[in-house]
Amino acid sequence: MIVEQKIPSYGPAREKLRQKGQFWTPDWVAEAMVGYITAGGAKSIFDPAVGAGAFFKAAKTIGYRENRHIELLGTELDPLALEQAYVNNLDENDLRRVEITNFVLHPPARTFEAIAANPPYIRHHRLLLEDKIQLKQFAKDLTGLNIDGRAGLHVYFLLRALQLLRSEGRLAFILPADICEGVFANTLWKWITAHYKLDAVITFDPKATPFPGIDTNPLIFLILNCKPTSQFCWVKCKAEQTSSLAGWMSKSCNLEFATGLNIQPRNLEEGLITGFSRQPGTIEEAGPTLADFARVMRGIATGANEFFFLTQEQAANLAIPSEFLLTAIGRTRDVTREEITEATLAQLEAKGRPTRLLALDGRQLESFPEAVQSYLKVGQENGINQRELIKQRRPWYKMEVRKPPPILFAYLGRRNIRFIHNKARVLPLTGFLCLYPYDNSAEHIHKLMRVLQHPQTLENLALVGKSYGDGAIKVEPRALERLLLPQEALLEAGLQLPKLGKGLSQPLDQYFQQSFLLPDNGVLTNSA
């Protein structure tokens, strides 16, 4: 079930979460996935997270259509989840071989010939600490590697399922794109593709997503427990509810044309570098990146915006002296243009939007003016000082420090206005990233902004960001520093590298001429 759980465990409260919008696998996707894993003549299927029974229902449909019996096997952590299966026209006989257990930590003592799943999408910080320790140890025992602690529960579901996949068996998992875009992705997939054959990866156009209205970018991974190969099929599903997907997958993913599907062979090495969720052949280890021109940091994390981030009216009513207030911007939707000016701030203040950050230093509470002391005591009475992030500060009200960055970047969004010229020199909260160019001259910043707003630069964001639903992309600070800046954009702006080699600078065209070659195929590569 691809939707993030908002609780610290993944057990008893799952049913409540479904009522808040948890979405099960739609029939047209479930039938395609089961069609693939049973195409080799499998007599049974196994689902490690049965839930509403979408894959069981698909197996019954396929079995009836092909006049054959497919045994239904599975596990489920929450018995209440199986009540949804009865709504899907499954009965007690269909569910009698479903074991109530924690699939990852207490797996079945057997292997399976065909496995299909839509595992729970629970991010790492929502897992109980004791569970997280056991999950990491399981991954280490299986792979010999330390999987990064930011891997979500769905990653461990996949690893356990692969461990239980019989020789020559087939697996189909639908997973969020972060499984091949997160910091753990390269290590994870290098191990998987060294031990199993990645048969195909199916991506979805935003208009064809199986989970409309949900902020996730789902992918289907088709894997065989056989000798790995150097190529796999990469598919873009362009039509919702298409029967072509099931027809194509049931034919073992050949390269024949299928209506509504863009199918192409892809080199595994390239896919590992680019990322399976991204268009093939678009990333190159070439040319300058943003890190050559600027340092990137996240915006200020207050831990409680409603307390520390005030409107002008609130600050006045509280009588907080101006020396403790800094001008700041909090939400990306408060910035509708490619620059922030004094006029922008005036408009926000007229709308009653917060623009005043309570920026206190580490002095003792009694050393502040009485108005500030009173406000901090109210915060303590309301438990602000006990919030997870805030209680780690010493003292709790001491605010993070940033210099106003010349350029802001909208951390998560769908629109093209991502890089913003911070002419008003405001401080950004965590909805933004801070860009600090090495050269702070007005001319250099103007040229850098031209490059950052270039259409090809914006397209390159998809190569370093994490993709979510409806085309949304989230880019972390270190990932943004890896953003490739197109040669065309740099030359058009007349931008020079501020640092090169031993702190030297030279015209950009000389840099390209000396450091790179442009081969016959027109793809820029490092000549070294």
Side-chain angles (χ1 to χ4, degrees):
M1 54 296 296
I2 292 188
V3 133
E4 181 185 355
Q5 279 195 354
K6 301 295 184 182
I7 56 172
S9 179
Y10 53 94
R14 278 172 57 182
E15 186 60 24
K16 294 181 181 178
L17 292 167
R18 293 191 189 96
Q19 296 171 5
K20 296 179 181 179
Q22 190 136 19
F23 288 80
W24 304 105
T25 314
D27 291 346
W28 66 282
V29 173
E31 287 191 24
M33 293 171 64
V34 173
Y36 170 79
I37 63 172
T38 59
K43 296 179 180 179
S44 65
I45 70 161
F46 174 75
D47 180 355
V50 174
F55 298 110
F56 280 14
K57 179 182 177 183
K60 289 185 67 177
T61 299
I62 291 172
Y64 178 80
R65 185 168 60 233
E66 298 179 359
N67 194 27
R68 63 184 176 114
H69 174 70
I70 300 175
E71 187 179 24
L72 308 177
L73 309 169
T75 58
E76 173 55 53
L77 183 62
D78 182 5
L80 294 177
L82 296 179
E83 292 182 6
Q84 294 289 326
Y86 292 106
V87 178
N88 266 342
N89 296 320
L90 297 174
D91 56 34
E92 292 183 0
N93 185 59
D94 298 323
L95 302 175
R96 63 191 176 90
R97 292 186 177 86
V98 176
E99 183 181 358
I100 303 301
T101 185
N102 184 318
F103 167 70
V104 182
L105 297 181
H106 305 290
R110 55 169 292 185
T111 59
F112 302 95
E113 61 179 333
I115 302 176
N118 179 357
Y121 176 32
I122 304 176
R123 298 173 64 191
H124 69 97
H125 54 278
R126 303 296 186 188
L127 297 171
L128 292 175
L129 179 59
E130 54 267 35
D131 286 352
K132 192 171 182 179
I133 292 172
Q134 292 185 65
L135 291 169
K136 289 192 67 176
Q137 187 59 51
F138 151 64
K140 177 67 179 292
D141 293 342
L142 177 63
T143 67
L145 303 168
N146 286 311
I147 301 297
D148 190 278
R150 285 164 283 189
L153 181 61
H154 49 290
V155 174
Y156 301 104
F157 257 80
L158 176 60
L159 288 174
R160 181 66 83 185
L162 288 171
Q163 183 188 42
L164 299 181
L165 186 62
R166 191 174 301 169
S167 177
E168 303 299 322
R170 295 183 172 215
L171 176 147
F173 260 54
I174 186 165
L175 296 160
D178 73 352
I179 199 166
C180 52
E181 297 173 349
V183 291
F184 54 83
N186 193 261
T187 299
L188 173 71
W189 286 103
K190 278 187 176 179
W191 183 86
I192 292 175
T193 55
H195 293 82
Y196 301 86
K197 177 185 176 182
L198 179 62
D199 203 11
V201 177
I202 294 95
T203 66
F204 295 88
D205 187 275
K207 297 190 296 287
T209 178
F211 309 103
I214 303 301
D215 276 341
T216 189
N217 179 19
L219 284 77
I220 298 175
F221 293 87
L222 306 180
I223 301 175
L224 297 170
N225 187 3
C226 63
K227 183 178 179 181
T229 57
S230 60
Q231 282 197 328
F232 66 98
C233 277
W234 191 83
V235 180
K236 173 76 79 171
C237 182
K238 305 178 76 65
E240 184 183 15
Q241 300 282 351
T242 177
S243 60
S244 295
L245 184 64
W248 177 77
M249 289 170 66
S250 66
K251 295 178 181 177
S252 299
C253 306
N254 57 44
L255 289 173
E256 294 179 3
F257 172 79
T259 303
L261 303 180
N262 180 358
I263 305 167
Q264 53 188 301
R266 189 163 175 182
N267 183 274
L268 180 60
E269 182 179 4
E270 174 275 318
L272 288 169
I273 293 172
T274 307
F276 298 132
S277 63
R278 297 166 180 144
Q279 292 283 343
T282 52
I283 195 167
E284 296 291 339
E285 296 294 332
T289 63
L290 182 56
D292 293 312
F293 295 87
R295 179 170 56 100
V296 180
M297 296 181 67
R298 64 165 173 79
I300 293 173
T302 71
N305 283 2
E306 75 278 13
F307 181 80
F308 291 104
F309 194 35
L310 308 171
T311 66
Q312 194 174 44
E313 182 180 7
Q314 286 174 323
N317 291 339
L318 292 166
I320 295 177
S322 60
E323 64 183 288
F324 300 111
L325 298 169
L326 297 175
T327 306
I329 193 85
R331 302 189 309 182
T332 55
R333 56 183 155 175
D334 284 343
V335 185
T336 57
R337 301 179 59 190
E338 295 174 343
E339 60 183 19
I340 298 175
T341 64
E342 295 297 334
T344 307
L345 296 173
Q347 292 170 1
L348 292 176
E349 289 163 359
K351 295 177 181 178
R353 293 291 305 141
T355 59
R356 297 291 185 265
L357 176 66
L358 182 60
L360 304 179
D361 55 30
R363 73 184 76 173
Q364 294 298 312
L365 188 148
E366 295 76 15
S367 300
F368 288 108
E370 184 177 343
V372 176
Q373 290 186 47
S374 298
Y375 189 57
L376 292 179
K377 289 175 182 178
V378 170
Q380 289 177 325
E381 291 171 0
N382 289 303
I384 298 294
N385 59 324
Q386 293 302 314
R387 294 197 183 182
E388 193 62 36
L389 175 62
I390 295 173
K391 70 181 181 181
Q392 299 176 30
R393 297 176 181 157
R394 299 290 183 273
W396 67 269
Y397 48 77
K398 183 179 180 181
M399 188 53 59
E400 291 184 335
V401 177
R402 295 283 188 279
K403 291 183 178 180
I407 301 172
L408 306 181
F409 175 79
Y411 174 65
L412 172 65
R414 297 174 174 83
R415 56 199 180 96
N416 284 335
I417 302 175
R418 301 300 298 275
F419 292 97
I420 301 157
H421 193 174
N422 186 15
K423 292 182 176 180
R425 294 296 172 132
V426 300
L427 289 169
L429 303 189
T430 51
F432 301 90
L433 301 183
C434 309
L435 273 65
Y436 297 100
Y438 301 129
D439 183 342
N440 276 312
S441 67
E443 180 184 9
H444 181 83
I445 292 173
H446 173 72
K447 290 179 178 179
L448 182 57
M449 280 297 300
R450 284 187 59 190
V451 173
L452 296 176
Q453 293 168 342
H454 192 279
Q456 185 58 57
T457 303
L458 296 175
E459 286 186 18
N460 286 349
L461 287 171
L463 305 179
V464 295
K466 295 180 181 179
S467 53
Y468 292 82
D470 199 24
I473 299 174
K474 182 170 73 173
V475 188
E476 305 284 354
R478 301 287 76 77
L480 187 60
E481 288 184 344
R482 297 195 300 271
L483 177 66
L484 186 66
L485 303 184
Q487 178 186 13
E488 176 186 355
L490 291 162
L491 292 173
E492 284 180 3
L495 192 61
Q496 293 183 346
L497 288 171
K499 289 187 176 182
L500 184 66
K502 297 180 179 180
L504 300 176
S505 181
Q506 65 184 131
L508 190 64
D509 55 352
Q510 294 180 25
Y511 173 75
F512 276 102
Q513 183 177 0
Q514 294 176 16
S515 302
F516 298 86
L517 297 176
L518 194 61
D520 293 338
N521 62 6
V523 177
L524 198 63
T525 57
N526 196 320
S527 61

